[in-house]
Amino acid sequence: MHVPDGFFNAAVSISAGAVAAAGVGVCLRGARRELDDRTAPMAGLVAAFIFAVQMLNFPVAAGTSGHLLGGTLAAILVGPYTAVLCVAVVLLVQGFFFADGGLTALGVNITLMGIVAIVAGWTVFRLVAGRARGRGTVVAASFVAALISVPVAALAFALLFWIGGTAPIEVGTVAAAMGGVHVLIGIGEGLITAVTVSTVLAVRPDLVYGARGLTAPLVLRGADGDATVTREAGLPTTSVTPVAPRRLGWFLPAGIVVAALLAGIVSFYASSSPDGLERVATDKGFIGQSAEHALAGQPLADYGEAGGIPVGIAGLIGVGVTLAVGGGLFFAVRRRTGRAGASARDEVSA
């Protein structure tokens, strides 16, 4: 659902850019509470994974495809504030390296696919998951939350286009069309999110932010048989012996390999049909308002098509760039958090 240049007037584009900038600023501060030595590299991996899976358009109806938005998935894995940053990184890489999503519409895309979708998805996830402790409930909540987040973002687009679109529309008609097709896309979003969350829960439940407090605490037994209860799952305990959190270990390289395989090989089999927004814009007569991307002539534009680069090679480059940009950002936020914590401890000790 990448909005191209030309769909919105200057007032809405600038306003959405301001909202996006403010939202990212808030999330930079909020992410300090979510990022640690594990979640910082995990967040970079999540951003790269979202980039890879967004290349895999899947058919949802005759002549229409959809792709993962990924915001709800990111929120469940690394936290809602960090998730907004993950989606923003993906959109920045797509916009500036692959001419996907307009540059003047970047604020609109971050607002819709990042802020709106994640707020909706995370809210629904928390409501559905409640205080349940079973993995099945977490997975089911992931599916429902991801499904709902997509049509919510689509309806937000219809509202914005009614306010400041560059073509007159019947808002009810466009909202019905956008909502209808994006419910179908949302089913795919929900399935991808549920499968991914279920897989991570099966191998490393401590890496699922949304499952903290929903599963039993980890109990480690030493050679003498004494039990040590950790806070891995986020549950309060009455007697806790500090235990160093598990590092990512093999999980990080394995995740990078999965993202590389998806972008480098599976992307060749993605649906070539227009996505939900493009289909609705064509059917409702405002597709002509889209403007050519300012970077449409660069070699990686349209995922290599402009420069004759195979889509798989372009995908691998995109995964690498996203991992580097995202990882650098999240480690920077993490280091700043560490310095702030050290300064606070020094002040207390003084």
Side-chain angles (χ1 to χ4, degrees):
M1 197 177 68
H2 292 73
V3 177
D5 291 319
F7 270 17
F8 289 97
N9 60 30
V12 167
S13 297
I14 293 171
S15 299
V19 170
V24 168
V26 169
C27 291
L28 282 169
R29 295 180 63 87
R32 298 177 191 175
R33 299 191 297 271
E34 297 171 347
L35 293 172
D36 54 30
D37 290 338
R38 289 178 302 170
T39 52
M42 178 68 175
L45 175 60
V46 168
F49 180 79
I50 291 173
F51 175 91
V53 180
Q54 282 196 1
M55 294 181 65
L56 311 180
N57 280 46
F58 49 86
V60 296
T64 306
S65 70
H67 63 73
L68 182 80
L69 297 189
T72 300
L73 171 61
I76 295 168
L77 291 178
V78 293
Y81 292 107
T82 306
V84 173
L85 302 181
C86 286
V87 173
V89 166
V90 172
L91 290 171
L92 283 167
V93 171
Q94 290 171 334
F96 283 95
F97 286 86
F98 298 92
D100 188 11
L103 295 183
T104 62
L106 184 59
V108 173
N109 283 319
I110 292 176
T111 299
L112 295 179
M113 298 172 63
I115 298 170
V116 172
I118 289 171
V119 168
W122 181 248
T123 300
V124 172
F125 175 79
R126 297 307 301 166
L127 289 174
V128 175
R131 296 188 62 80
R133 299 190 178 189
R135 291 183 180 179
T137 304
V138 176
V139 174
S142 301
F143 172 80
V144 175
L147 189 162
I148 291 176
S149 69
V150 178
V152 168
L155 292 176
F157 165 84
L159 178 61
L160 279 182
F161 200 84
W162 178 59
I163 294 172
T166 53
I169 63 168
E170 289 289 338
V171 63
T173 302
V174 172
M178 287 289 289
V181 71
H182 283 88
V183 165
L184 299 177
I185 295 172
I187 294 173
E189 178 100 9
L191 290 172
I192 295 170
T193 300
V195 168
T196 305
V197 170
S198 178
T199 301
V200 180
L201 278 173
V203 296
R204 287 293 302 270
D206 57 301
L207 296 178
V208 181
Y209 180 90
R212 296 179 182 179
L214 301 179
T215 55
L218 178 65
V219 177
L220 304 177
R221 295 189 179 276
D224 57 359
D226 293 337
T228 299
V229 182
T230 76
R231 293 185 183 271
E232 283 283 336
L235 287 178
T237 56
T238 55
S239 179
V240 177
T241 300
V243 176
R246 296 171 62 193
R247 295 190 178 276
L248 286 180
W250 59 267
F251 189 88
L252 181 60
I256 294 172
V257 169
V258 170
L261 289 173
L262 292 173
I265 297 177
V266 182
S267 60
F268 284 101
Y269 303 97
S271 173
S272 59
S273 298
D275 68 10
L277 174 57
E278 187 177 352
R279 171 56 62 187
V280 171
T282 300
D283 292 345
K284 301 306 175 184
F286 60 89
I287 189 64
Q289 300 302 117
S290 62
E292 185 178 26
H293 198 286
L295 303 176
Q298 65 177 345
L300 288 174
D302 201 14
Y303 299 92
E305 183 174 333
I309 300 172
V311 64
I313 300 300
L316 289 174
I317 294 172
V319 167
V321 172
T322 305
L323 187 64
V325 173
L329 171 64
F330 300 127
F331 273 111
V333 174
R334 170 60 182 155
R335 284 198 299 271
R336 184 171 181 179
T337 303
R339 288 197 299 268
S343 298
R345 288 192 297 270
D346 292 343
E347 290 178 4
V348 172
S349 61

